[in-house]
Amino acid sequence: MRDPRYDILFEPVQIGPVTSRNRFYQTPQCNGMGRTYPTSMAVMRGVKAEGGWGVVFAEQCDFHYTSDNTRNVRLWDEQDIPILARMTDMVHEHGSLAGLMLAHNGYITPNIISRELPFSPSGGAAFGNFPTHTRAIDKADIKALHRWTRAAALNAVKAGFDIVNIYAAHDLALPFHFISRKHNTRGDEYGGSLENRVRLLRELIEVAKEAIGDRCAVGVRFSVDELIGPAGICADGEGREVVEMLAELPDIWDVNVSGWAQDSITSRFGEEGRQEAYVDFVKRVTTKPVVGVGRFTSPDTMVGQIRRGVLDMIGAARPSIADPFLPEKIRTGALEDIRECIGCNMCVTNNYLGAPIRCTQNPTMSEEWRRGWHPEYIAHKSTDDTVLIVGAGPAGLEAARAMGQRGYQVLLAEARTELGGRVTLESRLPGLSAWARVRDHRVQQIQKMTNVDVFLDSQMGQDEVAETECSLVAVATGSRWRRDGVGRHLRTPVATTADANVLTPDDIMAGVQVSGHIVIYDDDHFYMGSVVAEALVKQGCTVTILTPAAQFAGFSQMSLEIAHIQRRMAELGVQIVPLTTVTALGAGYVSAVGVFGTDARDIACDAVIMVAGQTPNDTLFRSLSAGQSTQRIVAIGDCQAPATIASAIFAGHKFARDLGLGDPDVVPFLREDVELSPNLSGWGAEPLRGAAE
Ligand code: ADP
Ligand code: SF4
């Protein structure tokens, strides 16, 4: 039964002309599916509604071809309505409200599909390193923006949406660019004073309200602070003044900090609820409902936000990915079943890669429609197998949990005296403690199952595996970091003298102590190099990082962490040397050279840490596979090929679903194909050859 102190989370909230059944609000959340995998997206949103989110938003929606963002949904005209209507149908089926955030990304989007020049308030270079400049929009463009907003709002209602928000956040939206002094140097009534710079946002909200406000809530998503002090929009400056100016105009305020890397900060760099200090003024300035985010997974924290008058609705993107049933679990008092987001941003990573998002905690994310995987339910066992799982890292734990949920008799054997494998070890590194939730959730579930037996301190060899007489064996024995430097850049081992002090992240995680000057060779390009550097500096070492890449930790661009990592390394005094590889390792030195062959030198050091490739611990799997056993042997997770924790969880889950029996000749998921247009009239509408012919 639910604890009555959480009742407040299930009170209805009036938002303009519509009512949310509770205070759970899934904010716009990019998912890499959007217009490319629309049914996957729609079904995923439906699962969120089923899981109890009273409001479910689509990701940001571009509403005109002058802002084309290929990853997300769009509503350029009526042609796009059916895709969105599929989503609203799925959401309404469970009694939730469907929301759409109209986004014009302005200078951010290079418009690679439509080939339109990006818009901006005052011209200037486009975002990032894209080799184009923007077009300063004129009064006619602003009038057009009014028209497009009105048309999109009307089409959103036709598609079934209950809430339409205007996007003015994250430095990713044109109305935000108009408010920002950094972008807006106009001399007309849309530039200069704050009143003038807010004008575009005010007008777009008014236009949408006038068009649909009687049937549909019209809100705003606004970043109240850019975290750059008074030089930018800030909560005790212009951010607050904007909210004061528009206080009662929108039906709901969805507020946060900017940019996205600050708003969706990883747990390594920002704790749950850290935005409170920036957004807590909003409710004092408006009577309209206020929603905000903060990677909320604790119902007590949520209740605290409401009771202390910070928020009216609990906004969430990532917690709703990790556990689409978070509200339902709170409602029914099943708190110990909550799969808490660990704040790793693997979800964001896949969105950036243009793939349907993955989640470390929730292996069913994006697989709801195409594989028919539900996050809470799984088919009862379909064979008479008894199952042995060797290794209790993320792959083994998830396999045991899901197999147990299916009703199989499961033995889980782990060589160490603690569960969790790499997750347990990595969670002890600086900033990664939340990662232990991957282990804790699964252990908690397994402990409730009478059909899963766990054996610690149980090193399994060929004989021990045979003795269990289990018919199905999943080998999840993980992987280890290579000591020889082989990885992406070096494909053959680096010359190493016998007396060289060469370590790996496994040694650091096992507690090996080092001191003095340490060189880290990073050919991993994700989080591990910087986390090890941080651990060593905290132990009193000085650290130099060599990387063959032009940019250290380059893959963390995808997880929104790169700037946070660079700043942290600078603050810790870690020296980063890019475009540099190692040629030899010896006692007290590393021989290094630029990747183009220049600047060969020896660097004196007390130890070198190789953060390069990894190698599977697959000896047991190989010997079992080569033996005569009648047991069916399957390798899963890092033991098959070292990858992310998310991949290991997915592998464990997939094994539990298909028992390793997937037919490689049959595509294991549904595809949603582009439909061939019957209309070929565009081609050949103009003469192919000129008049000269
Ligand atoms: P994954 O990410 O694939 O789950 P991990 O490295 O996190 O891999 O976990 C592998 C686990 O398997 C570790 O906890 C390790 O102690 C355990 N292990 C490795 N070899 C054996 C073995 N022969 N018998 C039992 N457990 C093993
Ligand atoms: Fe949270 Fe990581 Fe899942 Fe994203 S991938 S929702 S950050 S657990």
Side-chain angles (χ1 to χ4, degrees), residues 295 317-319 321-322 340-348 358-362:
R295 209 168 359 89
R318 291 172 295 173
I321 297 170
E340 290 183 286
C341 169
I342 67 166
C344 63
N345 279 7
M346 283 309 296
C347 45
V348 179
R358 281 98 221 237
C359 171
T360 301
Q361 277 284 54
N362 175 11

